[in-house]
Amino acid sequence: EYVDGPSLAELIRQSGRLSVERAIELTCQAIEGLASAWSLGIVHRDVKPHNILVSRDGKPKIADLGLAMVVDDTTQHASEELAGTAAYMSPEQGLLAGTPVDYRSDIYSMGATLYHALTGRTPYNGQSTRELMHQHANSTPVPPHELVPGLPPQVSEVVLTMMARHPDDRYQSAEELLTVLRGLLQPATPVHREQGTVRTRPAPAAGSLSASATGSRSGSSTNIRPSGFWRRLFTGGTEA
């Protein structure tokens, strides 16, 4: 499918960085598309700004499934050959050989992509692929709110959870991640109870998390099923 519009990388290059609202909106739509692939047992393995094309009506489309693989019991472990783009690649795709590679690897890469969209820079700036992969596997990026004045710390918390070094420490399903991301855009938090009295929390700063988005994580995982139907282009939760 021909997409009449720029890539996310081009949008970042043109503007320096995206607004928190726009960056999160695009991320949510991209995750909805990736979730369609994940439900078929497909891991993209090369999620990055260059592979997110934004149509003229503002909808992102996930492109370039050239490195995608179907996950099953025989293919879930990292291979000895690097696959992906080092600036956005999960640790298990690189140095952590033997760590299972599944949809949570795409969540990591989507977190690195969101980091770039919010800050205008990649999470790490190693001078070689090996140096970058060592940073992904052993370091924690500078929190985005320390680079962008006015960016709520809660946004950094979500991005860094997406980029947790171990897959088990990341969000464990598309549904969980989308709930948290959409909570960042809520204008006010729900009511909460304190010593038997119902009180309403004041509206937080734009881009902060709602109470529902900061609650305990469910720990549930997306049901990954192997499938041969991987030659698709996914966007916004629907097939292009």
Side-chain angles (χ1 to χ4, degrees), residues 27-40 42-45 47 52 62 65 103 106-107 109-110 174 234-237:
T27 299
C28 286
Q29 293 176 45
I31 289 168
E32 288 173 348
L34 286 167
S36 297
W38 300 338
S39 70
L40 297 173
I42 300 165
V43 181
H44 190 286
R45 297 204 299 169
V47 175
I52 299 176
I62 306 299
L65 286 169
Y103 65 94
D106 285 347
I107 287 178
S109 298
M110 197 70 238
F234 295 95
T235 175

Side-chain angles (χ1 to χ4, degrees), residues 100-121:
V101 174
D102 57 26
Y103 65 94
R104 294 173 298 179
S105 180
D106 285 347
I107 287 178
Y108 182 99
S109 298
M110 197 70 238
T113 295
L114 177 56
Y115 188 107
H116 192 175
L118 289 168
T119 66
R121 51 169 279 184

Side-chain angles (χ1 to χ4, degrees), residues 89-92 94-96 108 124 130-140 165-166:
M89 193 187 301
S90 69
E92 60 268 27
L95 295 181
L96 300 184
Y108 182 99
Y124 300 112
R130 178 161 294 277
E131 183 180 356
L132 281 167
M133 292 315 306
H134 185 271
Q135 291 172 331
H136 283 293
N138 296 283
S139 303
T140 299
R165 289 191 291 274
H166 196 285

